[in-house]
Amino acid sequence: FFQKTLSAVKSWFTLFGWSKGQNPISIPHSLRRDVCIVQLTVSQEKNFKRKLDKDKGFYEMLLHLNGKPLPGIAASQSLPPDPVERMFHLHWQYSELLSFLKSQGAYLSHVMPEFLLTPEDYMIWTEVNTGLRVGSMRSSGKLSGRRIFVLEISAFETMSKRAWTDVLLQIFKVFVLPRVSSRVVPDPSSLESLQNMPGIKSEPLCSNIYSRYERSILIWLNKHYEKNRKIVWKDSQRGGIPPMRWIVNFDQDLLDGLVLAAQMAAYCPYLISTHFIKMYTNPRTHEELLHNSLILVKALHAVNLDIDIKV
């Protein structure tokens, strides 16, 4: 599941995260490199400086998605030549990044700034703060009131990959999802058939799982599914009209492909007779679920929405 999430995040940010076209990324390697790659200049001072393509660094991506730079951090900067000073500077940067994202509504309490460092800088960080070399996973000492965890490098790389993935997911949530306009999301209570179904509130504090924008999408999914299920599958020979359902999450409730097919049918009704009519409306086996998924993927191919989707 995590690998599929990682692949989806990498694909989206590669395609849409940058102001001037696609920019392939790897998680966490290219993100850490973009933040802290340095080169030794020919000048007598021999200062370390970042060496990045214009508009291709991590903070440039954040500027593009947020519309304004991260407070107190410039996209172009010099880094201290001393490795320890450089590590502390980057650790401070990541602390500021996490604090800023959390102030925007991101859920990142489990991500520590040191998890975003390169392995080399993480080793320096552990040595400076614990006096120990990285050799085993153990708890040693405290930093700013919290316990320090020293990880094997292999465990650190796994943690770093997860941390950077979660940072990108939360960046998407706080900077991209808010572009969903509540004005274009119909009120599900306006549908007679939904009046007896529990509603999904869009108030900011009514859920500790989904943001108001994610709940707006759930409302949209409920509305189109209930409106279209009797239209799309009225002539179904593979189970008849699917039953009413209350869509409250983005994983289990979308597994059988019917909800997503109903959304597509709302905008591309010509796909009903060529694709969606062939779906199982009450799938019970893995084979039937796969059958529905393949039909949905073929429909996405038909309307050129098959971004990084393979059959």
Side-chain angles (χ1 to χ4, degrees), residues 193-251:
S193 57
L194 281 182
Q195 288 181 352
N196 296 324
M197 180 181 292
I200 296 176
K201 298 180 180 179
S202 59
E203 286 77 9
L205 299 180
C206 71
S207 172
N208 63 351
I209 298 176
Y210 293 131
S211 68
R212 57 180 298 187
Y213 309 106
E214 291 168 308
R215 295 195 298 278
S216 294
I217 295 175
L218 288 174
I219 293 173
W220 174 71
L221 291 171
N222 276 285
K223 181 262 182 182
H224 279 303
Y225 175 75
E226 184 54 33
K227 179 181 179 181
N228 292 313
R229 66 185 178 89
K230 296 179 181 179
I231 299 173
V232 177
W233 293 287
K234 64 178 180 179
D235 298 320
S236 172
Q237 301 298 315
R238 295 187 173 180
I241 295 174
M244 176 187 289
R245 67 171 70 175
W246 189 28
I247 304 156
V248 295
N249 58 60
F250 295 101
D251 43 22

Side-chain angles (χ1 to χ4, degrees), residues 115-265:
F115 297 156
L116 304 178
L117 295 168
T118 63
E120 295 78 15
D121 285 329
Y122 176 73
M123 291 180 67
I124 296 174
W125 182 86
T126 56
E127 290 178 18
V128 168
N129 286 286
T130 68
L132 300 171
R133 291 190 175 273
V134 178
S136 61
M137 180 177 179
R138 56 183 174 272
S139 172
S140 178
K142 292 186 177 181
L143 180 67
S144 301
R146 64 179 176 84
R147 191 163 293 279
I148 300 171
F149 289 95
V150 181
L151 306 178
E152 294 275 5
I153 288 302
S154 59
F156 167 76
E157 283 288 53
T158 300
M159 182 69 76
S160 184
K161 181 184 293 187
R162 180 59 183 266
W164 274 106
T165 301
D166 289 344
V167 165
L168 291 178
L169 284 169
Q170 294 300 308
I171 286 175
F172 181 88
K173 188 185 81 170
V174 300
F175 295 141
V176 180
L177 278 183
R179 299 173 190 173
V180 176
S181 173
S182 59
R183 292 176 299 177
V184 300
V185 179
D187 182 0
S189 63
S190 62
L191 292 173
E192 182 179 353
S193 57
L194 281 182
Q195 288 181 352
N196 296 324
M197 180 181 292
I200 296 176
K201 298 180 180 179
S202 59
E203 286 77 9
L205 299 180
C206 71
S207 172
N208 63 351
I209 298 176
Y210 293 131
S211 68
R212 57 180 298 187
Y213 309 106
E214 291 168 308
R215 295 195 298 278
S216 294
I217 295 175
L218 288 174
I219 293 173
W220 174 71
L221 291 171
N222 276 285
K223 181 262 182 182
H224 279 303
Y225 175 75
E226 184 54 33
K227 179 181 179 181
N228 292 313
R229 66 185 178 89
K230 296 179 181 179
I231 299 173
V232 177
W233 293 287
K234 64 178 180 179
D235 298 320
S236 172
Q237 301 298 315
R238 295 187 173 180
I241 295 174
M244 176 187 289
R245 67 171 70 175
W246 189 28
I247 304 156
V248 295
N249 58 60
F250 295 101
D251 43 22
Q252 293 296 321
D253 291 340
L254 305 184
L255 278 179
D256 59 13
L258 296 175
V259 174
L260 294 177
Q263 314 313 307
M264 291 189 66

